[in-house]
Amino acid sequence: MPGIVVVGAQWGDEGKGKATDQLGDRVDYTVRYSGGNNAGHTLVVNGEKYALHLLPSGILNDSVPVIANGVVIDLDVLFEEIDGLNARGVDTSKLLVSANAHVIAPYHKVMDKVTERFLGNRRIGTTGRGIGPAYSDKINRLGIRVQDLFDDSILRQKVEAALEQKNHLLVKVYNRRAIDATEVAEELLAHTERLRPMVADTVRVLNTALDAGQVVLFEGAQAHHLDVDHGTYPYVTSSNPIAGGASTGAGVGPTRIDRVIGIMKAYTTRVGEGPFPTELLDADGEKLRQDGAEFGTTTGRNRRCGWFDALVVEAAVTANAFTDMFLTKLDILTGWEKIPVCVAYEVNGERTTTLPMTQTDFHHAVPVYEYLDGWTEDISGCREFSDLPKNTQAYVRRLEELVRCRISGIGVGPSREQAVMLHDLL
Ligand code: GDP
Ligand code: IMO
Ligand code: MG
């Protein structure tokens, strides 16, 4: 079972880091294939909490961590994260970084912030990490790649080219100071020697590992509904976090992927702007936020909270062809008498059980709820499905039916061992 992809099935923060870590020591390579340090993956290992933004969760187990070509890398953040882990005794020496990955330059972060401000109430609510501008430059063929740091004069030319138009925009439209190309180039080049030993032809490394039958786990960041093609555009990120993104983002053919695991939270959360039909703006939403500690790992923003939306997850099941689902944070739902689950929408007086095709209809969707019986027992110590209260089991089975994919693992707490496995994921 060598190629496995983990993908968020909602709007991010489903617990992908923990689910990835769960597969742990049986994995040979753990690969980030999209996004950048807009991600925040929290893991609790032996009582220690780790928040990873750029490094794959495999950095905490014995697998080889890989940052593949599809990722955009803020080098300051990369080295800060490495230093932070080293200071806690974590070995990061096996990390590999693709020569083709793009670099987030200081001007990308500036552009992210000024464009958001300029959008006013049409803003996306980005993480401000320069993700969108870095991917825009990549698509515009104005990007800086990791390998450009190895050629001083090429790097300087590329930074100049990237800044030419941006400086006009910054000065004439956004009323900001121009950015000096030499300063940017020097800042990037300062990282070259530290980066050099990590840089590899990761496409070859990963395909050779797959040829040898080794287990390669592609750890998704963001989520299906934040995907630039499949998400709630324009309230999305600028990459393809979906399962297919692992193919382009790491250079492995689709036939290499044997298993696709969707991660879904037992309720729904979202950070930033954009439609969210089951959002709760009342005391129930606040209770979910407090019980689930739904505050962003990356920006510290409150996560918007709402009930489980089966239509949202079912759309992700369809486009990603998930083979398995991992249901997280089921323990957070303990204590509700009835738990609403969205099973359909009313859109302009018509009922639908699949996600509307257009954004306008999605904005007008009114959730139709089914009310499942809750439970009061503490489930955080359960390790077998049969240990779970009957109503909890019924909740799991109903979600499974609604999203049309089997649930193979359940998270009942933040720690590595707090899980119930129904089917082996490897
Ligand atoms: P990711 O971005 O998908 O990796 O998710 P985040 O790390 O941003 O958010 C998930 C949060 O929930 C983290 O703080 C995890 O430690 C925590 N978590 C993950 N799974 C569970 C679970 O099953 N139960 C509880 N109570 N917390 C969990
Ligand atoms: P993980 O991997 C939740 C959201 C931002 C914003 C939109 C675009 O932890 O699940 P960007 O900075 O990417 O241009 O912002 O996407 N966003 C996330 N929300 N979890 C994430 O990552 C996210 N990464 C980006 O809040 O709405
Ligand atoms: Mg997160």
Side-chain angles (χ1 to χ4, degrees):
M1 200 47 75
I4 304 165
V5 189
V6 165
V7 181
Q10 293 154 324
W11 280 288
D13 304 323
E14 297 89 352
K16 297 175 291 294
K18 183 195 147 150
T20 301
D21 182 59
Q22 209 79 49
L23 299 168
D25 298 336
R26 293 154 73 192
V27 173
D28 297 299
Y29 289 82
T30 313
V31 186
R32 274 284 307 270
Y33 60 86
S34 73
N37 60 310
N38 46 350
H41 297 180
T42 304
L43 289 84
V44 181
V45 181
N46 301 328
E48 293 256 342
K49 192 167 163 175
Y50 299 90
L52 302 173
H53 297 288
L54 198 46
L55 295 171
S57 298
I59 201 91
L60 298 175
N61 57 41
D62 282 338
S63 66
V64 179
V66 178
I67 298 179
N69 56 277
V71 175
V72 286
I73 306 176
D74 184 325
L75 293 168
D76 291 319
V77 172
L78 176 69
F79 292 123
E80 259 168 44
E81 206 160 297
I82 290 175
D83 290 342
L85 289 176
N86 290 163
R88 294 172 73 179
V90 177
D91 175 23
T92 56
S93 62
K94 288 189 284 185
L95 176 69
L96 297 179
V97 176
S98 166
N100 286 357
H102 279 245
V103 168
I104 299 179
Y107 47 80
H108 292 133
K109 288 179 267 189
V110 172
M111 293 305 287
D112 196 353
K113 290 189 177 125
V114 293
T115 49
E116 278 282 275
R117 208 166 302 145
F118 207 71
L119 282 169
N121 61 10
R122 285 182 297 119
R123 70 185 178 279
I124 308 298
T126 72
T127 59
R129 300 297 191 262
I131 305 296
Y135 278 114
S136 303
D137 273 1
K138 172 177 172 174
I139 301 302
N140 275 331
R141 294 158 293 188
L142 283 172
I144 310 291
R145 297 197 291 178
V146 161
Q147 58 182 286
D148 296 328
L149 270 68
F150 301 149
D151 188 326
D152 197 295
S153 79
I154 287 281
L155 179 81
R156 287 172 198 278
Q157 284 172 35
K158 289 192 174 183
V159 170
E160 255 171 46
L163 274 172
E164 206 176 306
Q165 203 186 44
K166 284 184 196 70
N167 273 336
H168 284 297
L169 270 177
L170 280 172
V171 174
K172 293 174 190 154
V173 179
Y174 298 120
N175 207 17
R176 302 276 296 224
R177 263 184 303 157
I179 294 172
D180 183 66
T182 308
E183 267 174 41
V184 171
E186 299 293 341
E187 220 173 288
L188 294 174
L189 286 166
H191 293 299
T192 307
E193 290 319 313
R194 191 165 179 200
L195 191 61
R196 197 185 292 275
M198 303 170 191
V199 179
D201 178 352
T202 54
V203 173
R204 192 149 299 280
V205 170
L206 294 174
N207 281 285
T208 305
L210 288 162
D211 283 341
Q214 291 191 290
V215 178
V216 180
L217 179 62
F218 300 92
E219 177 185 359
Q222 290 77 53
H224 176 87
H225 293 280
L226 290 173
D227 185 284
V228 69
D229 283 273
H230 302 280
T232 43
Y233 190 91
Y235 301 102
V236 293
T237 192
S238 300
S239 66
N240 287 117
I242 62 156
S247 229
T248 49
V252 296
T255 52
R256 295 294 209 174
I257 294 163
D258 304 278
R259 214 142 178 187
V260 185
I261 303 167
I263 315 298
M264 61 177 186
K265 214 179 268 194
Y267 48 97
T268 313
T269 63
R270 169 160 212 176
V271 193
E273 307 301 320
F276 179 177
T278 62
E279 180 172 18
L280 294 165
L281 297 165
D282 57 7
D284 286 354
E286 190 52 37
K287 179 168 165 52
L288 282 177
R289 184 175 304 120
Q290 294 303 331
D291 291 354
E294 296 297 351
F295 309 99
T297 316
T298 300
T299 56
R301 288 179 288 179
N302 278 0
R303 293 177 181 154
R304 300 158 63 192
C305 296
W307 298 119
F308 186 84
D309 186 331
L311 285 71
V312 162
V313 175
E314 194 275 340
V317 170
T318 300
N320 290 274
F322 293 135
T323 53
D324 304 83
M325 300 303 299
F326 196 106
L327 176 66
T328 62
K329 301 192 101 162
L330 189 57
D331 53 303
I332 302 301
L333 292 183
T334 299
W336 295 87
E337 200 182 326
K338 290 280 179 190
I339 308 173
V341 168
C342 173
V343 296
Y345 297 151
E346 293 275 356
V347 184
N348 305 324
E350 297 220 5
R351 188 172 284 215
T352 171
T353 54
T354 54
L355 222 59
M357 188 180 71
T358 66
Q359 192 187 349
T360 307
D361 282 353
F362 194 52
H363 274 281
H364 294 149
V366 179
V368 177
Y369 289 110
E370 188 173 297
Y371 295 83
L372 304 187
D373 291 329
W375 59 90
T376 53
E377 298 90 333
D378 177 3
I379 61 167
S380 61
C382 296
R383 296 294 174 268
E384 300 289 333
F385 191 67
S386 55
D387 295 342
L388 295 171
K390 285 283 163 289
N391 288 349
T392 319
Q393 293 187 17
Y395 186 80
V396 173
R397 291 302 182 207
R398 183 65 182 129
L399 295 197
E400 200 166 45
E401 223 168 65
L402 288 165
V403 305
R404 299 187 304 107
C405 185
R406 72 174 184 180
I407 292 173
S408 296
I410 300 168
V412 292
S415 299
R416 185 181 267 181
E417 61 283 357
Q418 287 180 300
V420 171
M421 297 311 293
L422 289 89
H423 302 282
D424 200 1
L425 291 174
L426 285 182

